[in-house]
Amino acid sequence: MTRSAEQVMQILYALRSAGVTDPRVLHAMERIDRAHFIRGLFANRAHEDVPLPIPCGQTISQPSVVGLMTQALAIQPRDKVLEVGTGSGYQAAILSLLARRVYTMDRFRSLVTSAREVFERLGLHNITAFTADGSHGLPDQAPFDRILVTAAAEDPPGPLLAQLRIGGIMVLPVGQSDTVQTLLRVTRTGEKGFDYDELRPVRFVPLVEGIGPE
Ligand code: SAH
């Protein structure tokens, strides 16, 4: 399935209406067709600005939220980025067009396997996907210039704060999983210094400890 010019215009309109104005982010989102990351029943709704179900009871985020989170990260071309919560792989694919290298982790092996297949098919060779509990981060590859968490924790996980480079930025939803959460941008200003900005209300699936059963 390929997108019509009208579908691309609709997505760009939804992004701009939500406040996504960074030309690099808009261009990356124009290049990656979300339909590659959605299978089955909901595939025909891939171009709507809504979250949709993916396997393992998880969700692919709404494109405007993906755009806002990506914009808030202010990624530089040489950056090494960690994403916690691979899910479908859509967000990681967008990140991969903006950064030098992307590491992405999910607790469900089957999601990681499917996402890797799509990365391969699209020729996105600067993404490495792992099955692991991302709340511990990826100490072997730390520090990261940017960290994006796409599942909600009650507070920013300590290991992720520790793996952020000084001057680096982390974007994540925080709050209880069954309520509206807050999208937070954390900037590391020094060895012990962090600045916190509340960006907007969001709703994400919870960050869950341990490896999933599938
Ligand atoms: N970024 C995704 C959407 C992610 S949905 C996309 O673009 O499609 C949130 C994902 O976080 C789910 O796939 C869930 O399995 C994963 N997740 C939840 N807790 C986790 C943890 N502790 N470590 C790694 N992944 C986790």
Side-chain angles (χ1 to χ4, degrees):
M1 185 170 69
T2 51
R3 289 174 299 179
S4 65
E6 192 185 337
Q7 284 170 328
V8 174
M9 291 308 291
Q10 267 169 12
I11 290 170
L12 290 175
Y13 179 78
L15 290 169
R16 288 213 177 82
S17 313
V20 182
T21 52
D22 181 332
R24 294 185 64 230
V25 175
L26 290 168
H27 185 61
M29 295 197 63
E30 200 179 326
R31 277 181 57 195
I32 302 285
D33 184 349
R34 188 170 179 248
H36 292 298
F37 299 90
I38 302 170
R39 289 173 197 184
L41 268 182
F42 292 95
N44 62 347
R45 299 189 58 194
H47 305 117
E48 295 176 28
D49 190 31
V50 292
L52 293 170
I54 58 171
C56 305
Q58 305 303 314
T59 46
I60 178 171
S61 312
Q62 191 175 348
S64 56
V65 172
V66 170
L68 283 169
M69 290 197 299
T70 309
Q71 178 166 274
L73 280 173
I75 296 172
Q76 303 301 308
R78 302 298 306 156
D79 282 353
K80 182 164 74 170
V81 181
L82 173 66
E83 180 196 26
V84 175
T86 312
S88 67
Y90 176 59
Q91 170 77 73
I94 308 280
L95 297 173
S96 80
L97 297 186
L98 299 167
R100 176 172 56 89
R101 174 113 229 124
V102 176
Y103 294 91
T104 182
M105 316 169 68
D106 204 287
R107 55 190 292 277
F108 287 108
R109 186 172 309 281
S110 60
L111 292 177
V112 170
T113 305
S114 313
R116 278 190 191 130
E117 284 168 16
V118 188
F119 301 150
E120 185 65 30
R121 189 149 25 98
L122 299 182
L124 303 173
H125 299 304
N126 62 339
I127 310 177
T128 311
F130 295 97
T131 308
D133 179 348
S135 50
H136 304 299
L138 198 57
D140 287 356
Q141 295 298 336
F144 296 96
D145 302 292
R146 301 291 185 262
I147 299 178
L148 179 60
V149 186
T150 63
E154 296 206 5
D155 295 298
L160 297 183
L161 290 171
Q163 290 172 34
L164 191 59
R165 190 189 297 284
I166 293 174
I169 300 173
M170 170 156 68
V171 171
L172 78 170
V174 288
Q176 309 262 335
S177 61
D178 51 354
T179 60
V180 171
Q181 304 132 8
T182 303
L183 190 65
L184 199 64
R185 176 173 49 204
V186 183
T187 307
R188 185 163 194 180
T189 55
E191 195 52 50
K192 297 223 161 81
F194 295 91
D195 278 350
Y196 296 86
D197 277 324
E198 293 188 3
L199 303 179
R200 56 165 268 168
V202 282
R203 239 194 140 119
F204 276 83
V205 296
L207 191 72
V208 177
E209 281 191 21
I211 299 294
E214 299 166 62

Short mmCIF file of all heavy atoms in Angstrom, two decimals, residues 8-72:
data_model
loop_
_atom_site.label_atom_id
_atom_site.label_comp_id
_atom_site.label_asym_id
_atom_site.label_seq_id
_atom_site.Cartn_x
_atom_site.Cartn_y
_atom_site.Cartn_z
N VAL A 8 -0.62 12.27 2.54
CA VAL A 8 0.58 12.92 3.05
C VAL A 8 0.24 14.34 3.50
O VAL A 8 0.64 14.79 4.59
CB VAL A 8 1.71 12.94 1.98
CG1 VAL A 8 2.91 13.75 2.48
CG2 VAL A 8 2.13 11.53 1.64
N MET A 9 -0.57 15.05 2.71
CA MET A 9 -0.98 16.42 3.07
C MET A 9 -1.75 16.43 4.38
O MET A 9 -1.58 17.31 5.21
CB MET A 9 -1.88 17.04 1.98
CG MET A 9 -1.19 17.34 0.66
SD MET A 9 0.29 18.32 0.87
CE MET A 9 -0.46 19.86 1.36
N GLN A 10 -2.61 15.40 4.55
CA GLN A 10 -3.42 15.33 5.78
C GLN A 10 -2.54 15.17 7.01
O GLN A 10 -2.77 15.78 8.05
CB GLN A 10 -4.37 14.14 5.71
CG GLN A 10 -5.72 14.53 5.14
CD GLN A 10 -6.56 13.29 4.82
OE1 GLN A 10 -6.22 12.18 5.22
NE2 GLN A 10 -7.63 13.50 4.09
N ILE A 11 -1.52 14.31 6.88
CA ILE A 11 -0.62 14.09 8.02
C ILE A 11 0.15 15.37 8.31
O ILE A 11 0.26 15.79 9.47
CB ILE A 11 0.34 12.92 7.74
CG1 ILE A 11 -0.47 11.62 7.75
CG2 ILE A 11 1.45 12.85 8.78
CD1 ILE A 11 0.27 10.43 7.26
N LEU A 12 0.66 16.03 7.27
CA LEU A 12 1.43 17.26 7.50
C LEU A 12 0.54 18.32 8.13
O LEU A 12 0.98 19.08 9.00
CB LEU A 12 2.03 17.76 6.17
CG LEU A 12 3.16 16.87 5.64
CD1 LEU A 12 3.63 17.35 4.28
CD2 LEU A 12 4.35 16.83 6.61
N TYR A 13 -0.72 18.35 7.74
CA TYR A 13 -1.66 19.32 8.31
C TYR A 13 -1.86 19.03 9.81
O TYR A 13 -1.82 19.94 10.63
CB TYR A 13 -2.99 19.27 7.55
CG TYR A 13 -4.01 20.22 8.13
CD1 TYR A 13 -3.94 21.59 7.85
CD2 TYR A 13 -5.01 19.77 8.99
CE1 TYR A 13 -4.84 22.48 8.42
CE2 TYR A 13 -5.91 20.65 9.56
CZ TYR A 13 -5.82 22.00 9.27
OH TYR A 13 -6.71 22.87 9.83
N ALA A 14 -2.06 17.74 10.13
CA ALA A 14 -2.25 17.36 11.55
C ALA A 14 -1.01 17.72 12.36
O ALA A 14 -1.12 18.21 13.49
CB ALA A 14 -2.54 15.86 11.66
N LEU A 15 0.17 17.51 11.79
CA LEU A 15 1.41 17.81 12.51
C LEU A 15 1.53 19.31 12.76
O LEU A 15 1.80 19.74 13.88
CB LEU A 15 2.62 17.33 11.69
CG LEU A 15 2.78 15.82 11.60
CD1 LEU A 15 3.84 15.45 10.55
CD2 LEU A 15 3.18 15.25 12.95
N ARG A 16 1.29 20.10 11.72
CA ARG A 16 1.41 21.56 11.87
C ARG A 16 0.38 22.08 12.86
O ARG A 16 0.68 22.93 13.69
CB ARG A 16 1.23 22.25 10.52
CG ARG A 16 2.42 22.03 9.61
CD ARG A 16 2.68 23.23 8.71
NE ARG A 16 3.87 23.01 7.90
CZ ARG A 16 3.86 22.31 6.77
NH1 ARG A 16 2.75 21.80 6.30
NH2 ARG A 16 4.99 22.14 6.12
N SER A 17 -0.85 21.53 12.81
CA SER A 17 -1.90 22.00 13.74
C SER A 17 -1.51 21.69 15.18
O SER A 17 -1.92 22.40 16.10
CB SER A 17 -3.24 21.32 13.47
OG SER A 17 -3.53 21.34 12.14
N ALA A 18 -0.75 20.61 15.38
CA ALA A 18 -0.35 20.24 16.74
C ALA A 18 0.87 21.04 17.20
O ALA A 18 1.31 20.91 18.33
CB ALA A 18 -0.05 18.75 16.81
N GLY A 19 1.47 21.81 16.30
CA GLY A 19 2.61 22.64 16.69
C GLY A 19 3.96 22.08 16.24
O GLY A 19 5.00 22.51 16.72
N VAL A 20 3.94 21.11 15.33
CA VAL A 20 5.21 20.58 14.82
C VAL A 20 5.62 21.45 13.63
O VAL A 20 4.96 21.44 12.59
CB VAL A 20 5.07 19.11 14.38
CG1 VAL A 20 6.41 18.57 13.88
CG2 VAL A 20 4.54 18.26 15.52
N THR A 21 6.67 22.24 13.82
CA THR A 21 7.07 23.20 12.79
C THR A 21 8.51 22.99 12.31
O THR A 21 8.92 23.57 11.32
CB THR A 21 6.98 24.64 13.34
OG1 THR A 21 7.71 24.68 14.57
CG2 THR A 21 5.53 25.03 13.61
N ASP A 22 9.28 22.17 13.03
CA ASP A 22 10.69 21.94 12.67
C ASP A 22 10.73 21.23 11.30
O ASP A 22 10.24 20.12 11.15
CB ASP A 22 11.32 21.06 13.76
CG ASP A 22 12.79 20.76 13.50
OD1 ASP A 22 13.20 20.74 12.32
OD2 ASP A 22 13.51 20.52 14.48
N PRO A 23 11.35 21.90 10.30
CA PRO A 23 11.33 21.33 8.94
C PRO A 23 11.98 19.95 8.85
O PRO A 23 11.55 19.11 8.07
CB PRO A 23 12.09 22.35 8.09
CG PRO A 23 12.49 23.46 8.97
CD PRO A 23 12.02 23.19 10.37
N ARG A 24 13.01 19.71 9.67
CA ARG A 24 13.68 18.39 9.60
C ARG A 24 12.74 17.30 10.11
O ARG A 24 12.69 16.19 9.58
CB ARG A 24 14.98 18.40 10.42
CG ARG A 24 16.02 19.34 9.83
CD ARG A 24 17.33 19.23 10.59
NE ARG A 24 17.89 17.91 10.47
CZ ARG A 24 18.32 17.17 11.48
NH1 ARG A 24 18.24 17.61 12.71
NH2 ARG A 24 18.82 15.98 11.27
N VAL A 25 11.97 17.61 11.15
CA VAL A 25 11.03 16.63 11.70
C VAL A 25 9.91 16.39 10.68
O VAL A 25 9.54 15.24 10.40
CB VAL A 25 10.46 17.11 13.05
CG1 VAL A 25 9.39 16.15 13.55
CG2 VAL A 25 11.58 17.26 14.08
N LEU A 26 9.38 17.46 10.11
CA LEU A 26 8.30 17.32 9.13
C LEU A 26 8.78 16.49 7.93
O LEU A 26 8.08 15.60 7.45
CB LEU A 26 7.81 18.69 8.65
CG LEU A 26 7.05 19.51 9.72
CD1 LEU A 26 6.88 20.96 9.26
CD2 LEU A 26 5.69 18.87 10.01
N HIS A 27 10.01 16.74 7.50
CA HIS A 27 10.54 16.02 6.35
C HIS A 27 10.71 14.53 6.67
O HIS A 27 10.35 13.66 5.86
CB HIS A 27 11.87 16.65 5.93
CG HIS A 27 12.43 16.06 4.69
ND1 HIS A 27 11.77 16.09 3.48
CD2 HIS A 27 13.58 15.37 4.47
CE1 HIS A 27 12.49 15.46 2.57
NE2 HIS A 27 13.59 15.01 3.14
N ALA A 28 11.23 14.23 7.87
CA ALA A 28 11.41 12.82 8.25
C ALA A 28 10.06 12.12 8.29
O ALA A 28 9.91 10.97 7.83
CB ALA A 28 12.11 12.73 9.60
N MET A 29 9.05 12.81 8.81
CA MET A 29 7.73 12.17 8.93
C MET A 29 7.05 12.03 7.57
O MET A 29 6.24 11.14 7.38
CB MET A 29 6.88 12.93 9.94
CG MET A 29 7.53 12.80 11.32
SD MET A 29 6.48 13.19 12.68
CE MET A 29 5.20 11.98 12.59
N GLU A 30 7.43 12.89 6.66
CA GLU A 30 6.90 12.77 5.30
C GLU A 30 7.52 11.56 4.60
O GLU A 30 6.88 10.89 3.80
CB GLU A 30 7.27 14.06 4.57
CG GLU A 30 6.45 14.36 3.36
CD GLU A 30 6.90 15.68 2.73
OE1 GLU A 30 7.30 16.61 3.46
OE2 GLU A 30 6.86 15.73 1.50
N ARG A 31 8.78 11.28 4.96
CA ARG A 31 9.48 10.18 4.27
C ARG A 31 9.08 8.80 4.77
O ARG A 31 9.17 7.82 4.02
CB ARG A 31 10.99 10.35 4.43
CG ARG A 31 11.54 11.32 3.41
CD ARG A 31 13.02 11.47 3.55
NE ARG A 31 13.76 10.22 3.43
CZ ARG A 31 15.03 10.07 3.79
NH1 ARG A 31 15.69 11.09 4.30
NH2 ARG A 31 15.64 8.92 3.65
N ILE A 32 8.71 8.66 6.04
CA ILE A 32 8.40 7.33 6.59
C ILE A 32 6.89 7.10 6.57
O ILE A 32 6.14 7.79 7.25
CB ILE A 32 8.93 7.21 8.04
CG1 ILE A 32 10.45 7.45 8.12
CG2 ILE A 32 8.54 5.86 8.64
CD1 ILE A 32 11.31 6.33 7.60
N ASP A 33 6.47 6.12 5.80
CA ASP A 33 5.04 5.79 5.70
C ASP A 33 4.65 4.92 6.91
O ASP A 33 5.15 3.80 7.06
CB ASP A 33 4.80 5.05 4.38
CG ASP A 33 3.33 4.76 4.15
OD1 ASP A 33 2.51 4.92 5.08
OD2 ASP A 33 3.00 4.35 3.01
N ARG A 34 3.75 5.42 7.74
CA ARG A 34 3.34 4.71 8.96
C ARG A 34 2.69 3.36 8.65
O ARG A 34 2.65 2.47 9.50
CB ARG A 34 2.39 5.63 9.74
CG ARG A 34 1.98 5.17 11.14
CD ARG A 34 1.27 6.33 11.80
NE ARG A 34 0.78 6.11 13.14
CZ ARG A 34 -0.52 6.05 13.47
NH1 ARG A 34 -1.45 6.19 12.54
NH2 ARG A 34 -0.87 5.88 14.73
N ALA A 35 2.17 3.21 7.43
CA ALA A 35 1.49 1.96 7.06
C ALA A 35 2.43 0.75 7.13
O ALA A 35 1.98 -0.38 7.32
CB ALA A 35 0.90 2.08 5.67
N HIS A 36 3.75 0.98 6.98
CA HIS A 36 4.69 -0.16 7.08
C HIS A 36 4.67 -0.79 8.47
O HIS A 36 5.13 -1.91 8.65
CB HIS A 36 6.12 0.32 6.83
CG HIS A 36 6.37 0.76 5.42
ND1 HIS A 36 6.25 -0.09 4.34
CD2 HIS A 36 6.72 1.96 4.91
CE1 HIS A 36 6.53 0.57 3.24
NE2 HIS A 36 6.81 1.82 3.54
N PHE A 37 4.21 -0.04 9.47
CA PHE A 37 4.35 -0.47 10.86
C PHE A 37 3.05 -0.99 11.47
O PHE A 37 3.00 -1.28 12.65
CB PHE A 37 4.89 0.71 11.69
CG PHE A 37 6.24 1.16 11.21
CD1 PHE A 37 6.35 2.13 10.23
CD2 PHE A 37 7.39 0.57 11.70
CE1 PHE A 37 7.59 2.53 9.76
CE2 PHE A 37 8.64 0.95 11.24
CZ PHE A 37 8.74 1.93 10.26
N ILE A 38 1.99 -1.05 10.65
CA ILE A 38 0.69 -1.49 11.18
C ILE A 38 0.19 -2.64 10.32
O ILE A 38 0.13 -2.51 9.10
CB ILE A 38 -0.33 -0.33 11.16
CG1 ILE A 38 0.22 0.84 11.99
CG2 ILE A 38 -1.68 -0.78 11.71
CD1 ILE A 38 -0.57 2.11 11.86
N ARG A 39 -0.14 -3.76 10.98
CA ARG A 39 -0.64 -4.91 10.22
C ARG A 39 -2.08 -5.19 10.58
O ARG A 39 -2.54 -4.78 11.64
CB ARG A 39 0.19 -6.14 10.56
CG ARG A 39 1.55 -5.98 9.95
CD ARG A 39 2.50 -7.07 10.36
NE ARG A 39 3.83 -6.57 10.03
CZ ARG A 39 4.93 -7.25 10.17
NH1 ARG A 39 4.90 -8.47 10.63
NH2 ARG A 39 6.08 -6.72 9.83
N GLY A 40 -2.74 -5.96 9.70
CA GLY A 40 -4.07 -6.46 10.04
C GLY A 40 -5.15 -5.40 9.93
O GLY A 40 -5.06 -4.46 9.14
N LEU A 41 -6.14 -5.60 10.78
CA LEU A 41 -7.38 -4.82 10.76
C LEU A 41 -7.24 -3.31 10.65
O LEU A 41 -8.05 -2.66 10.02
CB LEU A 41 -8.10 -5.07 12.10
CG LEU A 41 -9.12 -6.18 12.18
CD1 LEU A 41 -9.73 -6.19 13.57
CD2 LEU A 41 -10.19 -5.90 11.12
N PHE A 42 -6.21 -2.78 11.32
CA PHE A 42 -6.13 -1.32 11.43
C PHE A 42 -5.26 -0.68 10.35
O PHE A 42 -5.10 0.53 10.32
CB PHE A 42 -5.64 -0.92 12.81
CG PHE A 42 -6.64 -1.24 13.88
CD1 PHE A 42 -6.55 -2.42 14.59
CD2 PHE A 42 -7.70 -0.36 14.13
CE1 PHE A 42 -7.51 -2.73 15.55
CE2 PHE A 42 -8.65 -0.67 15.08
CZ PHE A 42 -8.56 -1.86 15.80
N ALA A 43 -4.70 -1.52 9.44
CA ALA A 43 -3.75 -1.00 8.45
C ALA A 43 -4.37 0.13 7.62
O ALA A 43 -3.68 1.08 7.26
CB ALA A 43 -3.27 -2.13 7.56
N ASN A 44 -5.66 0.01 7.35
CA ASN A 44 -6.27 1.04 6.49
C ASN A 44 -6.50 2.37 7.22
O ASN A 44 -6.94 3.33 6.62
CB ASN A 44 -7.58 0.53 5.87
CG ASN A 44 -8.61 0.22 6.92
OD1 ASN A 44 -8.27 0.15 8.11
ND2 ASN A 44 -9.85 0.04 6.53
N ARG A 45 -6.17 2.40 8.52
CA ARG A 45 -6.30 3.68 9.25
C ARG A 45 -4.92 4.28 9.58
O ARG A 45 -4.82 5.22 10.36
CB ARG A 45 -7.10 3.45 10.54
CG ARG A 45 -8.51 2.95 10.23
CD ARG A 45 -9.38 2.94 11.45
NE ARG A 45 -9.48 4.26 12.05
CZ ARG A 45 -9.96 4.48 13.27
NH1 ARG A 45 -10.38 3.46 14.01
NH2 ARG A 45 -10.02 5.70 13.75
N ALA A 46 -3.88 3.71 8.93
CA ALA A 46 -2.51 4.13 9.26
C ALA A 46 -2.28 5.62 9.08
O ALA A 46 -1.42 6.20 9.74
CB ALA A 46 -1.52 3.36 8.39
N HIS A 47 -3.04 6.25 8.18
CA HIS A 47 -2.76 7.66 7.88
C HIS A 47 -3.64 8.62 8.65
O HIS A 47 -3.64 9.82 8.39
CB HIS A 47 -2.85 7.88 6.37
CG HIS A 47 -1.93 6.94 5.64
ND1 HIS A 47 -2.37 5.98 4.76
CD2 HIS A 47 -0.60 6.78 5.74
CE1 HIS A 47 -1.34 5.28 4.35
NE2 HIS A 47 -0.25 5.73 4.92
N GLU A 48 -4.37 8.11 9.63
CA GLU A 48 -5.16 9.01 10.48
C GLU A 48 -4.31 9.42 11.69
O GLU A 48 -3.48 8.64 12.15
CB GLU A 48 -6.43 8.28 10.96
CG GLU A 48 -7.37 7.96 9.81
CD GLU A 48 -8.58 7.16 10.28
OE1 GLU A 48 -8.99 7.30 11.45
OE2 GLU A 48 -9.11 6.40 9.46
N ASP A 49 -4.58 10.59 12.20
CA ASP A 49 -3.81 11.08 13.36
C ASP A 49 -4.40 10.54 14.66
O ASP A 49 -4.88 11.28 15.51
CB ASP A 49 -3.78 12.61 13.37
CG ASP A 49 -2.79 13.15 14.40
OD1 ASP A 49 -1.78 12.45 14.65
OD2 ASP A 49 -3.04 14.22 14.96
N VAL A 50 -4.35 9.21 14.79
CA VAL A 50 -4.88 8.54 15.99
C VAL A 50 -3.91 7.43 16.40
O VAL A 50 -3.23 6.87 15.55
CB VAL A 50 -6.28 7.90 15.76
CG1 VAL A 50 -7.34 8.97 15.55
CG2 VAL A 50 -6.26 6.94 14.58
N PRO A 51 -3.85 7.11 17.73
CA PRO A 51 -3.08 5.93 18.13
C PRO A 51 -3.82 4.68 17.66
O PRO A 51 -5.05 4.71 17.55
CB PRO A 51 -3.06 6.02 19.66
CG PRO A 51 -4.11 6.99 20.04
CD PRO A 51 -4.51 7.79 18.84
N LEU A 52 -3.12 3.60 17.36
CA LEU A 52 -3.79 2.37 16.90
C LEU A 52 -3.19 1.16 17.61
O LEU A 52 -2.01 1.19 18.01
CB LEU A 52 -3.59 2.21 15.38
CG LEU A 52 -4.29 3.25 14.49
CD1 LEU A 52 -3.82 3.12 13.05
CD2 LEU A 52 -5.81 3.09 14.56
N PRO A 53 -3.97 0.09 17.77
CA PRO A 53 -3.45 -1.11 18.43
C PRO A 53 -2.39 -1.83 17.59
O PRO A 53 -2.52 -1.89 16.37
CB PRO A 53 -4.69 -2.01 18.58
CG PRO A 53 -5.86 -1.17 18.24
CD PRO A 53 -5.38 -0.04 17.40
N ILE A 54 -1.36 -2.34 18.26
CA ILE A 54 -0.38 -3.23 17.63
C ILE A 54 -0.35 -4.50 18.49
O ILE A 54 -0.98 -4.52 19.55
CB ILE A 54 1.03 -2.55 17.53
CG1 ILE A 54 1.55 -2.12 18.91
CG2 ILE A 54 0.99 -1.37 16.58
CD1 ILE A 54 3.00 -1.66 18.92
N PRO A 55 0.32 -5.57 18.07
CA PRO A 55 0.31 -6.81 18.87
C PRO A 55 0.82 -6.59 20.31
O PRO A 55 1.40 -5.56 20.63
CB PRO A 55 1.23 -7.73 18.08
CG PRO A 55 1.14 -7.23 16.67
CD PRO A 55 1.00 -5.75 16.78
N CYS A 56 0.61 -7.63 21.13
CA CYS A 56 1.04 -7.66 22.54
C CYS A 56 0.30 -6.63 23.39
O CYS A 56 0.80 -6.20 24.44
CB CYS A 56 2.55 -7.45 22.68
SG CYS A 56 3.56 -8.59 21.73
N GLY A 57 -0.89 -6.19 22.94
CA GLY A 57 -1.69 -5.26 23.74
C GLY A 57 -1.09 -3.86 23.81
O GLY A 57 -1.41 -3.09 24.71
N GLN A 58 -0.22 -3.51 22.86
CA GLN A 58 0.45 -2.21 22.89
C GLN A 58 -0.17 -1.28 21.84
O GLN A 58 -1.09 -1.68 21.13
CB GLN A 58 1.95 -2.39 22.66
CG GLN A 58 2.58 -3.37 23.64
CD GLN A 58 2.37 -2.98 25.10
OE1 GLN A 58 2.55 -1.83 25.48
NE2 GLN A 58 1.93 -3.94 25.92
N THR A 59 0.33 -0.05 21.74
CA THR A 59 -0.21 0.88 20.74
C THR A 59 0.90 1.61 20.02
O THR A 59 1.96 1.87 20.60
CB THR A 59 -1.13 1.97 21.38
OG1 THR A 59 -0.46 2.48 22.52
CG2 THR A 59 -2.47 1.45 21.78
N ILE A 60 0.64 1.92 18.76
CA ILE A 60 1.52 2.81 18.00
C ILE A 60 0.98 4.21 18.27
O ILE A 60 -0.22 4.45 18.20
CB ILE A 60 1.54 2.46 16.50
CG1 ILE A 60 2.43 3.43 15.70
CG2 ILE A 60 0.15 2.42 15.87
CD1 ILE A 60 2.66 2.98 14.23
N SER A 61 1.87 5.13 18.61
CA SER A 61 1.42 6.47 19.00
C SER A 61 0.81 7.22 17.82
O SER A 61 1.03 6.88 16.66
CB SER A 61 2.59 7.29 19.55
OG SER A 61 3.31 6.54 20.49
N GLN A 62 0.12 8.28 18.19
CA GLN A 62 -0.49 9.19 17.23
C GLN A 62 0.62 9.97 16.52
O GLN A 62 1.54 10.45 17.18
CB GLN A 62 -1.32 10.11 18.10
CG GLN A 62 -2.27 10.99 17.46
CD GLN A 62 -3.05 11.74 18.55
OE1 GLN A 62 -3.00 11.39 19.74
NE2 GLN A 62 -3.76 12.74 18.13
N PRO A 63 0.57 10.12 15.19
CA PRO A 63 1.64 10.84 14.50
C PRO A 63 1.94 12.22 15.07
O PRO A 63 3.11 12.60 15.19
CB PRO A 63 1.12 10.94 13.06
CG PRO A 63 0.25 9.74 12.90
CD PRO A 63 -0.39 9.53 14.24
N SER A 64 0.91 12.98 15.47
CA SER A 64 1.21 14.33 15.98
C SER A 64 2.01 14.25 17.29
O SER A 64 2.86 15.11 17.56
CB SER A 64 -0.06 15.16 16.16
OG SER A 64 -0.96 14.49 16.98
N VAL A 65 1.77 13.21 18.10
CA VAL A 65 2.53 13.05 19.35
C VAL A 65 3.96 12.61 19.04
O VAL A 65 4.93 13.10 19.64
CB VAL A 65 1.81 12.08 20.31
CG1 VAL A 65 2.67 11.75 21.51
CG2 VAL A 65 0.48 12.68 20.77
N VAL A 66 4.11 11.72 18.05
CA VAL A 66 5.45 11.31 17.60
C VAL A 66 6.22 12.56 17.14
O VAL A 66 7.39 12.77 17.49
CB VAL A 66 5.36 10.27 16.46
CG1 VAL A 66 6.71 10.02 15.82
CG2 VAL A 66 4.77 8.96 17.00
N GLY A 67 5.54 13.42 16.37
CA GLY A 67 6.17 14.64 15.86
C GLY A 67 6.59 15.58 16.98
O GLY A 67 7.71 16.10 16.99
N LEU A 68 5.70 15.76 17.95
CA LEU A 68 6.01 16.68 19.06
C LEU A 68 7.15 16.17 19.91
O LEU A 68 8.03 16.93 20.33
CB LEU A 68 4.77 16.88 19.94
CG LEU A 68 3.72 17.82 19.35
CD1 LEU A 68 2.43 17.75 20.16
CD2 LEU A 68 4.25 19.26 19.30
N MET A 69 7.16 14.85 20.17
CA MET A 69 8.24 14.30 20.99
C MET A 69 9.57 14.41 20.25
O MET A 69 10.60 14.74 20.84
CB MET A 69 7.94 12.84 21.35
CG MET A 69 6.78 12.73 22.33
SD MET A 69 6.70 11.14 23.15
CE MET A 69 6.49 10.06 21.76
N THR A 70 9.53 14.14 18.95
CA THR A 70 10.76 14.20 18.15
C THR A 70 11.28 15.63 18.12
O THR A 70 12.47 15.88 18.29
CB THR A 70 10.49 13.68 16.73
OG1 THR A 70 9.85 12.41 16.83
CG2 THR A 70 11.77 13.54 15.93
N GLN A 71 10.36 16.58 17.94
CA GLN A 71 10.75 17.99 17.90
C GLN A 71 11.35 18.42 19.25
O GLN A 71 12.35 19.13 19.28
CB GLN A 71 9.52 18.82 17.57
CG GLN A 71 9.75 20.31 17.53
CD GLN A 71 8.58 21.03 16.87
OE1 GLN A 71 8.53 21.17 15.66
NE2 GLN A 71 7.64 21.50 17.66
N ALA A 72 10.73 17.96 20.35
CA ALA A 72 11.20 18.35 21.69
C ALA A 72 12.62 17.82 21.96
O ALA A 72 13.35 18.39 22.78
CB ALA A 72 10.23 17.84 22.75
#
